[in-house]
């Protein structure tokens, strides 16, 4: 087994080596291929995992995992590797069943260029793609940089009579906001800016420069897309970026996909669509199903499952557009999630917090709890006490504060594996609830005079219906079950049609309570096709029933 540990992050070449080793070691279940090239010409790897002895990947219902679309959110890649490792090494019967009956498609690092920058010896942090956008030249202003060359990017505090911040009376490392009516000549006030250098500094003004690499690849998907003026980073048009085009084309080319997760950091939460619409806009059954799957996600991982629109909005009047989970659900009609790994807030024992609003405002007691957590868990490397530095442009400043990349963007390495480990189980659960077309029964009666009655009954043994969601029906996102015959020489169909469509089959997903109004147990998960075949010479009749999402059933009858 290629040695992989989950207490570190892997650069692109190492990641490729791991995939290569696994493909060599597990040739019957593990394969990987390139789905396209990144902006800097790196291959974007797609891993396919299934037990090929029980059928090819394309003929089984599939679950898609995408990771590391955002450059520095490398925990997502680690979680994807951990899922692959679990699939390859687990002895659990349900994992074996998942490999026998389902397919996993995993893109461990959709954005290899951005991740490579984040993992460099002197890291540079971009939001996602490294392509300069929307301008190719740098604008004036402050750029984050490790100005004292100690490998960290902290904050700079600058003494300023009009500053916003002052020392906490009992914990001088912590800065707290000055009171609205406060102006005390004895108190030192500070201005707080990220560690960095200012392009074309005029000696007076400090402003943040817009990032040179201003794209956000998770705003570039073809769902509810809006231009840069509406939301920075969207790109010039939907699917304009090579990484997103590669993924969208690869997903559309695999109509067996029934579910999706995108791995990100941070917040410790599972997010679901819609981003731009309230829950009332869902088909009722889809919303209930989403919530039930979300309950399972929480049970297995400890992370709450919430709506982006209702619970994860960066601004009360702005909505995320062009995100992958919205595209997967709204256009393709498959249940799609964005998992944000890791929350230092929760790690510090703060349970009751709103994911985004907390960053705007929270009690100082939370800051103190976080500082105590960092001291305890990270021995001073998470929150750095302020130390003097002579800045080439600003003169004497102090460097210190949170080392965000080290303990906010991703978990500290010694906590990484325990954070990601439970999530493989949720991905496997999600794969196993997909629809699954299976043979129920095959009947063959000899009618005499060379005529044969043949009846095929198929059933959906999955929890979800063959169409997966009501949204998929509305979008006509998948075809009905199609049954076709291959007749032996000289045979002909004299009753029935050689090609039959059997519609969609129900799952068990809406049957939750014996007392439910809709808890009738009719056989809507079952369908039949019947023929009378005239075959004077005997031979073998081949029957194939296939559904794009639910899989393929093949059987035959000796006439
Ligand atoms: Zn992200």
């Amino acid at each position: 087994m290629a040695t992989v540990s989950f207490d570190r992050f892997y650069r692109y070449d190492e990641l490729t080596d791991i995939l290569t080793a696994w493909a060599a070691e597990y040739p019957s279940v593990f394969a990987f291929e390139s789905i396209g090239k990144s902006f800097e010409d790196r291959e974007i790897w797609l891993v396919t995992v299934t037990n090929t002895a029980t059928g090819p990947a394309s003929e089984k219902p599939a679950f898609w995992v995408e990771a590391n679309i955002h450059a520095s959110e490398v925990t997502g890649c680690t979680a994807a590797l951990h899922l692959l490792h679990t699939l390859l090494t687990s002895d659990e019967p349900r994992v074996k069943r998942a490999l026998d009956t389902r397919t996993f498609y995993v893109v461990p690092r959709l954005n290899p260029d951005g991740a490579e920058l984040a993992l460099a010896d002197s890291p540079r942090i971009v939001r996602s793609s490294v392509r300069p956008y929307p301008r190719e030249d740098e604008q004036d202003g402050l750029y984050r940089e490790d100005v004292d060359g100690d490998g960290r990017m902290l904050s700079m505090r600058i003494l300023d009579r009009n500053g916003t911040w002052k020392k906490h009376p009992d914990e001088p490392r912590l800065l707290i906001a000055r009171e609205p009516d406060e102006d005390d000549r004895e108190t030192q006030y500070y201005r707080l800016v990220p560690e960095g250098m200012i392009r074309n500094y005029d000696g007076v003004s400090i402003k943040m420069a817009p990032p040179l690499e201003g794209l956000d690849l998770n705003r570039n998907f073809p769902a509810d897309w809006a231009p840069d003026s509406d939301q920075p980073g969207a790109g010039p048009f939907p699917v304009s970026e090579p990484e997103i085009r590669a993924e969208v084309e690869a997903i559309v080319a695999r109509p067996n996909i029934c579910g999706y997760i995108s791995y990100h950091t941070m917040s410790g939460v599972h997010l679901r669509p819609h981003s731009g619409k309230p829950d009332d806009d869902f088909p009722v059954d889809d919303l209930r199903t989403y919530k039930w799957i979300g309950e399972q996600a929480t049970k297995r991982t400890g992370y709450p499952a919430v709506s982006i629109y209702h619970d994860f909005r960066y601004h009360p009047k702005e909505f995320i557009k062009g995100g992958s989970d919205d595209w997967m659900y709204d256009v393709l009609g498959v249940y799609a999630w964005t998992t944000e790994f890791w929350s230092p807030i929760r790690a510090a024992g703060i349970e009751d917090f709103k994911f985004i609003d907390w960053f705007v405002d929270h009690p100082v007691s939370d800051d103190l709890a976080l500082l105590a957590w960092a001291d305890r868990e990270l021995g001073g490397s998470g929150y750095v006490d302020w130390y003097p530095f002579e800045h080439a442009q600003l003169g004497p400043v102090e460097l210190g504060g949170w080392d965000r990349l080290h303990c906010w963007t991703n978990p500290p390495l010694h906590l990484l594996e325990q954070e990601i480990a439970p999530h493989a189980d949720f991905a496997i659960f999600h794969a196993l609830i997909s629809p699954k077309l299976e043979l129920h029964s095959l009947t063959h009666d000899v009618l005499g005079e060379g005529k044969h009655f043949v009846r095929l009954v198929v059933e959906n043994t999955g929890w979800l219906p063959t169409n997966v969601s009501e949204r998929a029906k509305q979008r006509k996102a998948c075809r009905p079950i199609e049954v076709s015959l291959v007749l032996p020489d000289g045979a002909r169909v004299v009753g029935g049609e050689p090609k039959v469509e059997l519609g969609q089959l129900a799952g068990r997903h809406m049957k939750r309570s014996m007392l439910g109004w809709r808890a009738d147990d009719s056989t809507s998960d079952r369908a039949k096709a019947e023929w009378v075949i005239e075959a004077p010479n005997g031979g073998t009749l081949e029957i194939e029933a296939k559904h794009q999402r639910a899989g393929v059933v093949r059987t035959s009858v000796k006439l």
Side-chain angles (χ1 to χ4, degrees):
M1 179 93 205
T3 316
V4 178
S5 61
F6 301 103
D7 56 359
R8 55 161 300 200
F9 300 119
Y10 290 95
R11 292 192 189 172
Y12 181 76
D13 288 343
E14 298 172 298
L15 174 65
T16 304
D17 288 346
I18 291 168
L19 302 182
T20 306
W22 279 348
E25 202 163 347
Y26 301 94
S28 63
V29 292
F30 185 104
F32 76 111
E33 67 197 287
S34 171
I35 54 170
K37 285 179 184 250
S38 67
F39 176 70
E40 287 184 337
D41 255 5
R42 292 186 176 87
E43 306 286 357
I44 300 166
W45 301 127
L46 167 67
V47 178
T48 301
V49 180
T50 191
N51 179 7
T52 55
T54 59
S58 62
E59 295 189 355
K60 295 171 182 168
F63 190 71
W64 184 283
V65 175
E66 166 223 285
N68 217 168
I69 188 174
H70 288 142
S72 59
E73 299 172 6
V74 285
T75 296
C77 177
T78 314
L81 289 176
H82 188 272
L83 168 63
L84 293 171
H85 185 264
T86 304
L87 292 172
L88 293 177
T89 59
S90 173
D91 292 327
E92 270 188 65
R94 64 190 292 275
V95 177
K96 295 255 181 247
R97 181 159 61 90
L99 291 178
D100 286 347
T101 61
R102 265 66 173 189
T103 296
F104 292 82
Y105 295 122
V106 179
V107 178
R109 183 166 288 165
L110 183 61
N111 173 19
D113 305 346
E116 206 65 357
L117 277 189
L119 295 173
D121 290 335
S122 334
R124 206 159 71 72
I125 303 306
V126 300
R127 173 62 170 161
S128 64
S129 168
V130 302
R131 182 168 86 86
Y133 184 85
R135 296 174 55 131
E136 295 194 350
D137 53 336
E138 289 197 321
Q139 306 295 291
D140 291 349
L142 189 147
Y143 287 89
R144 289 186 73 99
E145 194 183 316
D146 173 18
V147 292
D148 68 340
D150 67 352
R152 303 177 295 200
M153 280 185 282
L154 305 171
S155 296
M156 304 193 289
R157 72 177 188 188
I158 309 160
L159 271 175
D160 188 328
R161 209 191 81 61
N162 202 35
T164 299
W165 308 98
K166 62 178 182 182
K167 288 173 187 164
H168 187 283
D170 307 320
E171 174 49 271
R173 290 180 297 164
L174 183 67
L175 296 176
I176 55 173
R178 172 178 159 187
E179 295 299 324
D181 60 347
E182 175 184 337
D183 190 4
D184 176 6
R185 298 276 157 164
E186 303 302 306
T187 302
Q188 291 183 318
Y189 298 121
Y190 295 95
R191 192 173 293 276
L192 196 55
V193 294
E195 180 175 343
M197 296 296 287
I198 303 162
R199 191 177 186 279
N200 282 330
Y201 183 50
D202 61 6
V204 180
S205 322
I206 305 173
K207 61 172 182 189
M208 290 304 295
L212 178 64
E213 299 90 350
L215 283 163
D216 184 338
L217 295 177
N218 203 25
R219 307 288 182 271
N220 194 234
F221 286 85
D224 198 22
W225 180 90
D228 242 45
S229 52
D230 267 33
Q231 54 167 15
F237 56 91
V239 202
S240 59
E241 303 311 304
E243 296 83 1
I244 303 309
R245 177 169 291 264
E247 182 175 41
V248 165
E249 284 181 347
I251 287 173
V252 170
R254 289 165 180 77
N256 54 330
I257 295 166
C258 297
Y260 169 96
I261 303 186
S262 179
Y263 283 163
H264 290 242
T265 61
M266 41 75 53
S267 283
V269 65
H270 301 285
L271 304 173
R272 63 164 169 81
H274 302 287
S275 301
K277 288 189 285 191
D279 277 357
D280 284 351
D281 285 20
F282 272 104
V284 172
D285 287 0
D286 285 8
L287 180 60
R288 287 183 175 160
T289 305
Y290 244 134
K291 287 184 172 175
W292 286 329
I293 298 173
E295 284 173 17
Q296 290 293 326
T298 303
K299 193 172 105 185
R300 287 155 199 274
T301 66
Y303 289 7
V306 304
S307 145
I308 298 169
Y309 179 92
H310 294 289
D311 298 302
F312 205 83
R313 224 185 290 167
Y314 293 93
H315 187 282
K317 302 222 168 182
E318 290 167 11
F319 313 109
I320 296 169
K321 296 167 178 187
S324 65
D325 48 14
D326 277 328
W327 177 62
M328 292 300 294
Y329 173 73
D330 197 38
V331 179
L332 302 182
V334 306
Y335 295 103
W337 299 89
T338 296
T339 294
E340 301 279 357
F341 287 101
W342 176 236
S343 168
I345 305 169
R346 198 177 291 137
I350 301 155
E351 283 298 332
D352 186 23
F353 62 96
K354 283 272 199 183
F355 302 101
I356 303 271
D357 296 350
W358 184 91
F359 287 92
V360 179
D361 190 20
H362 53 258
V364 172
S365 57
D366 286 3
D367 289 305
L368 290 168
L370 274 157
L371 209 52
W373 167 78
D375 288 346
R376 197 167 63 238
E377 278 288 341
L378 308 170
S381 66
Y383 191 96
V384 178
D385 198 5
W386 302 92
Y387 59 96
F389 177 72
E390 188 65 24
H391 192 278
Q393 296 172 316
L394 301 168
V397 302
E398 288 171 281
L399 300 178
W402 286 106
D403 184 354
R404 287 187 193 229
L405 194 60
H406 180 65
C407 65
W408 282 86
T409 312
N410 291 289
L413 294 176
H414 71 287
L415 300 176
L416 180 59
E417 183 167 4
Q418 71 183 53
E419 192 68 29
I420 58 171
H423 292 258
D425 185 44
F426 176 54
I428 292 161
F429 163 83
H430 215 307
L432 284 171
I433 64 173
S434 72
K436 176 84 175 87
L437 193 65
E438 292 194 49
L439 179 67
H440 172 273
S441 58
L442 182 67
T443 307
H444 173 209
D445 294 329
V446 179
L447 302 175
E449 298 170 4
K451 291 200 174 69
H452 304 258
F453 170 79
V454 176
R455 175 197 285 152
L456 172 82
V457 182
V458 290
E459 62 186 348
N460 171 24
T461 61
W463 184 73
L464 289 169
T466 51
N467 45 294
V468 175
S469 72
E470 286 302 302
R471 188 60 177 155
K473 263 191 195 165
Q474 292 171 352
R475 290 291 201 199
K476 298 186 168 56
C478 63
R479 295 203 290 264
I481 298 165
E482 295 164 327
V483 185
S484 57
L485 303 178
V486 178
L487 296 161
D489 284 347
R492 65 191 185 104
V493 180
V494 295
E497 298 294 328
K499 277 189 192 263
V500 189
E501 288 190 355
L502 296 180
Q504 306 290 353
L505 298 181
R508 308 188 305 277
H509 71 307
M510 296 315 294
K511 297 170 183 172
R512 303 281 297 183
S513 161
M514 271 175 72
L515 297 168
W517 307 120
R518 301 200 296 167
D520 87 84
D521 231 0
S522 55
T523 52
S524 48
D525 54 331
R526 219 180 258 173
K528 66 177 182 184
E530 296 172 337
W531 303 271
V532 175
I533 311 287
E534 197 177 73
N537 305 322
T540 303
L541 170 71
E542 306 281 352
I543 308 174
E544 181 188 85
K546 71 174 176 203
H547 185 277
Q548 288 169 304
R549 293 186 171 175
V552 181
V553 166
R554 288 197 189 85
T555 187
S556 59
V557 183
K558 287 252 181 262
L559 297 174

